[in-house]
Amino acid sequence: MTRHRDLLVQARGALRHGNALWAASGYGPMAEGARDAYTQMRAFQDATIFGMTGEPEYAVLYLRWEVTFPEEWRAPNANMWSPWARKEGALRRLGREGVPARVKDSAVELLDAVLRRPYRRKDWNYAEVARRVDYADRLDVLYREQPLRAEFIQYVIANPQVHITRKTWTRWLERTGHSAANADHSR
């Protein structure tokens, strides 16, 4: 975890530096020296958490940041572009490419936290990740705290042919006779 914390500190510093350069440029053409520094900063970002370089550790760490420090994660000075799009991209990558054994425990801990909190934008993408880590083993605890979510995750895991979209949850609620108005996950 220390390695991840160090990377996060470095990535945050790179992001702050890049945002300052971008803001100083008036969001337009940069002076040559600023352009070089900005290019170096972007290269660093692309090689760490913000670039989602294919290393699942970075994706899980980025998603953990959103869970643990949502105000900081959403802050305008923490993001040059949409954090929601980056979140969706990280989740899609983990869902599509899978969760390697080396980060499975971290991904399961992340799912535990996400499925117990109120819904946040793009959280529907976690359903595919639950398939990839075989979350079925943890559903008993989730049933006690979030029965609808547990039932939905069980359905998704048991039906791998179901393509998960943002409408999957609401359609499942309708089919099973649950009210979307009473489910905090329906947003």
Side-chain angles (χ1 to χ4, degrees):
M1 193 63 167
T2 301
R3 177 176 166 250
H4 289 163
R5 191 173 299 120
D6 292 344
L7 285 171
L8 184 57
V9 168
Q10 289 176 339
R12 283 179 182 161
L15 183 64
R16 278 194 296 276
H17 180 66
N19 287 346
L21 290 170
W22 190 251
S25 74
Y27 305 100
M30 293 183 194
E32 198 57 41
R35 185 183 328 277
D36 292 344
Y38 182 77
T39 300
Q40 289 175 354
M41 179 276 310
R42 286 296 300 161
F44 179 78
Q45 286 182 349
D46 289 344
T48 61
I49 188 172
F50 297 101
M52 301 302 161
T53 61
E55 292 297 322
E57 291 92 340
Y58 298 135
V60 172
L61 182 60
Y62 181 77
L63 296 166
R64 183 51 116 173
W65 182 29
E66 187 256 347
V67 169
T68 309
F69 303 104
E71 300 307 317
E72 177 186 274
W73 180 86
R74 277 194 305 263
N77 67 346
N79 295 284
M80 295 170 86
W81 295 281
S82 169
W84 304 109
R86 191 174 292 125
K87 174 183 176 177
E88 184 174 21
L91 286 166
R92 283 189 175 176
R93 173 174 243 140
L94 290 171
R96 183 179 57 245
E97 297 175 10
V99 179
R102 69 183 184 275
V103 294
K104 182 179 177 186
D105 290 344
S106 297
V108 168
E109 289 174 14
L110 176 65
L111 279 165
D112 285 341
V114 167
L115 293 172
R116 286 170 175 77
R117 71 169 188 205
Y119 179 82
R120 291 187 193 148
R121 191 184 315 178
K122 308 291 185 181
D123 276 359
W124 61 269
N125 288 285
Y126 280 103
E128 186 67 42
V129 177
R131 283 179 174 162
R132 298 299 191 152
V133 297
D134 193 23
Y135 198 75
D137 296 341
R138 302 187 64 95
L139 287 175
D140 287 343
V141 175
L142 186 60
Y143 264 108
R144 288 191 295 273
E145 297 175 24
Q146 295 283 344
L148 270 182
R149 288 185 182 185
E151 198 174 324
F152 175 70
I153 294 298
Q154 184 175 19
Y155 162 76
V156 165
I157 291 170
N159 296 285
Q161 76 282 3
V162 171
H163 179 68
I164 301 169
T165 69
R166 69 182 141 134
K167 298 288 186 193
T168 306
W169 166 258
T170 53
R171 289 181 183 144
W172 175 82
L173 285 172
E174 291 168 4
R175 278 194 316 276
T176 58
H178 293 84
S179 168
N182 294 332
D184 78 327
H185 192 97
S186 63
R187 288 182 257 150

